[in-house]
Amino acid sequence: MQYIVLDLEWNQPLNYQTRAYRLYGDRLMFELLQIGAVRIDENGQILDSFNLPIRPSIYTIVHPRIRRMTHLTPDILDESPDFGDAVNQFVNWCGEDYVILTWGCDDISVLYQNLHFFDVHPALPTFYDIQPLFSKTYSLPNRTNLKQAMELMHLDPEENRSFHNALNDAYYTALVFTHLPQMQDVLSYPQQARTLIHPKPHATKGDLFESIAMALDSEQAQKPHCAICARETILEDSYIPQAADKYVTLSRCPKHGLNLVRIRFRPTVDHMREMTVRTCRATRPNIAYVHTKRLQIQQRAAEGRMPDPELMLDYAEKSSVTFED
Ligand SMILES: [Zn+2]
């Protein structure tokens, strides 16, 4: 038996008012744009790979953010097969006696929604999810994204293999999988496609910006209000990232001293960055934390290891496809 590690990239409507989305959105939330796969034998040896972009037929304009992430340009997609053809090529490549592995449950669900929508019915084997096996192996309470998993395993991304390309992500997933001590236990984690639901445009609490950099430059971020007197404070230093969606710094009120300023970002359904700013009176541990964190970040920046903040936030977004329970 062979393992086929599968990773998919997909497009989404430019916004939720487009004609295509109004017509088809309830049945096709995301349209597949690329199939990437890596074949592994029973001993964990990587044998070969499959990479095929797909010409979209419903959401034909690739969302600029997705285009930036995947590097799938109109030129590439125009020359690619349509979904039905692409799926057939993939299934032929898979051969016989195999199972399909993915990282997390998003890919199978988006794939099956596309299969139903386009009325394509290939014979596919059972899908298994590597992510819960990884969490169990490392005693992690939560779902981990692929990048974090690689870091935990000390597997370095390769310079010419960017994340968010179906083939590269499949390759990295295969690396993680073959480095697991009990990789065959993945067969304990079969998965089924789940029904995708529309992301509800949540009530906006914060301010909307086009980018994280613009948000951090805004008056709200640059002159946060003191937690005690609500007067404008003066930033001690620039914001530093705590996580993909969290930034922190210290700010001084002339009267009340240092405030801890915490910023949180949420990508909205129409691809803006919603920012909320919270301040509280800084405690000694807060101050020590920010200083230590800043030194770490400066060190990482000096080594050229700071990831693109926009991509990080999108990465968080990609794994947050919403499902019906
Ligand atoms: Zn104050």
Side-chain angles (χ1 to χ4, degrees), residues 225-233 252-257 259:
H225 296 283
C226 171
I228 303 182
C229 66
R231 274 194 286 261
E232 280 180 4
T233 59
R252 189 173 292 280
C253 169
K255 210 167 164 191
H256 299 105
N259 278 248

Side-chain angles (χ1 to χ4, degrees), residues 69-89:
M69 277 162 51
T70 61
H71 307 292
L72 292 169
T73 59
D75 286 357
I76 296 174
L77 296 174
D78 282 348
E79 287 175 13
S80 299
D82 67 11
F83 177 72
D85 190 1
V87 168
N88 282 332
Q89 289 189 39

